[in-house]
Amino acid sequence: MPSLIDLRRRIRSVKNMQQITKAMKMVSAAKLRRAQEQAIASRPYAGIMERVLRNVAAAARSTEETADLPLLQVREEKRIQLIVVSSDTGLAGAFNSNLFRMAQRFVDEHHAAELRIEAIGRKGRDYFRRRNFNLTGEHVGIVDKPKYHQAAEIADEMIRRYRDAETDAVYLAFNEFKSVMAPNLRLRKILPVELPENADLQIDYIYEQPPGELLRTLLPRYVELEIYRALLESISAYHAARMTAMDAASSNAGDVISDLTLTLNRVRQASITREIIEIVSGAAALG
Amino acid sequence: MPDTFQLEVATPERLFIDEQVLQAELPGRNGQLGILAGHAPLLSALGPGVLSYTRYDRQQFLAIDGGFVEVFENHVRVLADHAEFSYDIDVAAARRELDEAHDALRSAQDAPASEAANHAIAKAQARLDAAARSSGETASS
């Protein structure tokens, strides 16, 4: 039987823990809101980009100007670059481990190719470094508040490697924010760029520059944007996962507290009963 | 024909401007583009430069760095890599950047380096121009 003092001490420590997890949940809720605002702010740009690209691609295709664009060149996938967007910190349930499992499966499926990994986020870097993967780069400290120029730098490096034929394909693995309850794992090929299908409504633009030339400047931006959007999705999903994990931890702590309180009361009652029996039997012995 | 049109200026990080304007002037790569309401659909790449627009009788200036413009159905949508309102521009810093870029151009060894330096010069110059034109505007009015 644990002593009363031990039980009180444990209850106090679990209560402290619960306060911390509650606070962490609240912090993540606030950060989630900020991350989503940032994601919403990037939507107009992304929307316009998508439509312009669709139209320019169709126009360039019709004049066969797409043939010599290096970012559209499809090669046999002998050397594959995988970008994994993880988080810097943990405490978010299966957020990172699910992502790594997907990345691992991707690696297993492409065992014939030479695989290189670009790790964004500390957790991913540690994971792949421990397993002796071929890491081409690591980016720690950018996922918390993603800035466009940081995404652009990563993208430009990927584009350079692709253009110089150091890699034959670039894939991007990240958690997408779907709902607060469950993130959605995504794996996308970002290079070579797969042009969107023809627009339903073809706009007859006046082209100041030939469509092919426009496409040449549009494509790198499109890749940059995709990485930037992935970073934004990932950070939203991260805070959502962390909120869920901390909420579970808080209610778990609540269960532990009520169990311990029940035991405490039983122990206390038992000792009172024992004392009464002692007094009564003492009195009986005297009488 | 409507005499105003919707001008949207978006950077990847946020929507900069979204309002009805009378006239806009954009730094197209092949020269300045003046746009009024009812313009035909147009697509153009933009160079670093000054974007100005007129809302009622007030003119505003922005320094933008590259990107695209799409004109379609009385909407002018500018996708800029970077944008800054003239009143947010730190003139001293821009001047310093301009000097640094000139130095970089002088010491540039290869073509990509001098290209980057030229781009930096154009960017800094655009910021200075935007600031100068907006202060000139307020002084004359």
Side-chain angles (χ1 to χ4, degrees):
Chain A
M1 208 53 150
S3 75
L4 281 173
I5 293 175
D6 280 350
L7 280 169
R8 289 213 177 92
R9 211 174 270 155
R10 279 197 64 192
I11 290 173
R12 203 161 50 229
S13 93
V14 176
K15 270 187 181 156
N16 281 338
M17 250 185 277
Q18 191 187 30
Q19 262 169 0
I20 292 170
T21 55
K22 268 186 186 160
M24 283 168 99
K25 182 192 161 192
M26 247 116 79
V27 169
S28 274
K31 284 188 173 171
L32 171 64
R33 197 164 50 236
R34 214 183 46 209
Q36 281 185 297
E37 274 165 14
Q38 208 184 346
I40 289 166
S42 80
R43 237 171 244 168
Y45 186 92
I48 302 167
M49 174 70 101
E50 187 99 354
R51 197 184 54 245
V52 169
L53 187 68
R54 217 180 275 269
N55 273 285
V56 174
R61 246 196 302 254
S62 65
T63 55
E64 281 165 14
E65 285 176 276
T66 53
D68 61 334
L69 289 173
L71 299 190
L72 296 176
Q73 229 77 150
V74 180
R75 292 189 287 264
E76 196 193 336
E77 298 185 1
K78 284 186 195 143
R79 282 156 304 174
I80 298 175
Q81 175 90 55
L82 177 65
I83 309 172
V84 181
V85 187
S86 62
S87 64
D88 278 348
T89 45
L91 295 176
F95 177 82
N96 284 314
S97 51
N98 283 344
L99 179 74
F100 298 153
R101 200 170 306 135
M102 180 179 73
Q104 189 70 53
R105 203 164 46 234
F106 178 82
V107 171
D108 295 343
E109 281 164 12
H110 295 79
H111 55 85
E114 188 190 328
L115 226 109
R116 294 167 190 169
I117 290 183
E118 186 89 6
I120 303 179
R122 182 179 288 117
K123 289 283 166 185
R125 180 198 67 183
D126 294 349
Y127 178 93
F128 292 108
R129 191 186 271 170
R130 254 199 316 277
R131 283 163 185 74
N132 289 322
F133 274 94
N134 185 357
L135 277 178
T136 48
E138 49 182 66
H139 307 273
V140 172
I142 67 163
V143 289
D144 198 36
K145 282 179 195 158
K147 293 267 181 300
Y148 185 76
H149 71 89
Q150 294 164 331
E153 271 166 32
I154 298 171
D156 293 346
E157 179 59 22
M158 295 297 132
I159 290 167
R160 188 197 61 75
R161 282 183 208 152
Y162 189 79
R163 200 167 33 215
D164 296 351
E166 285 175 33
T167 53
D168 302 319
V170 181
Y171 289 83
L172 182 64
F174 63 102
N175 278 293
E176 184 185 49
F177 177 81
K178 201 175 172 203
S179 69
V180 176
M181 293 315 290
N184 198 12
L185 284 168
R186 292 294 299 268
L187 184 68
R188 288 174 71 169
K189 187 195 264 188
I190 57 169
L191 280 171
V193 176
E194 283 160 353
L195 287 178
E197 282 306 300
N198 282 4
D200 327 331
L201 141 119
Q202 192 65 47
I203 305 165
D204 193 15
Y205 290 113
I206 302 168
Y207 285 95
E208 281 282 303
Q209 290 86 19
E213 198 184 311
L214 270 176
L215 199 57
R216 187 186 295 275
T217 32
L218 262 172
L219 288 175
R221 285 194 174 79
Y222 186 66
V223 177
E224 286 171 6
L225 185 68
E226 275 200 271
I227 293 182
Y228 179 62
R229 302 270 296 169
L231 291 182
L232 294 183
E233 287 290 342
S234 174
I235 193 67
S236 294
Y238 169 72
H239 285 302
R242 191 170 168 132
M243 244 175 81
T244 315
M246 289 300 118
D247 188 50
S250 303
S251 68
N252 199 19
D255 290 350
V256 171
I257 289 168
S258 65
D259 277 1
L260 284 175
T261 313
L262 190 65
T263 320
L264 175 81
N265 288 338
R266 280 215 189 104
V267 171
R268 194 168 49 86
Q269 194 57 54
S271 70
I272 292 169
T273 313
R274 199 171 52 241
E275 276 170 33
I276 291 174
I277 290 172
E278 276 164 14
I279 292 166
V280 169
S281 52
L286 284 177
Chain B
M1 189 175 283
D3 50 356
T4 63
F5 60 91
Q6 191 75 14
L7 176 69
E8 292 169 29
V9 178
T11 67
E13 293 188 331
R14 68 191 184 98
L15 187 60
F16 232 78
I17 299 173
D18 184 9
E19 55 193 348
Q20 287 285 320
V21 303
L22 290 164
Q23 173 268 340
E25 211 171 296
L26 312 167
R29 191 167 292 166
N30 303 354
Q32 241 9 51
L33 295 166
I35 294 179
L36 293 169
H39 198 288
L42 173 134
L43 267 181
S44 174
L46 299 176
V50 181
L51 184 160
S52 68
Y53 64 94
T54 313
R55 186 185 46 184
Y56 310 114
D57 53 346
R58 270 195 27 248
Q59 204 171 7
Q60 295 274 12
F61 299 91
L62 271 95
I64 64 165
D65 173 21
F68 297 87
V69 61
E70 182 209 31
V71 183
F72 180 58
E73 284 180 348
N74 232 18
H75 275 73
V76 174
R77 299 183 176 98
V78 176
L79 295 183
D81 297 347
H82 185 82
E84 204 174 1
F85 278 109
S86 56
Y87 45 77
D88 286 334
I89 292 171
D90 180 346
V91 177
R95 200 157 282 149
R96 210 158 45 236
E97 274 162 29
L98 186 62
D99 291 343
E100 278 165 17
H102 275 299
D103 288 345
L105 182 62
R106 267 192 293 276
S107 59
Q109 301 292 332
D110 51 353
S114 55
E115 202 175 295
N118 272 322
H119 185 78
I121 290 174
K123 252 163 67 177
Q125 193 60 55
R127 297 176 69 205
L128 285 176
D129 289 350
R133 284 182 61 185
S134 102
S135 60
E137 201 67 23
T138 39
S140 64
S141 66

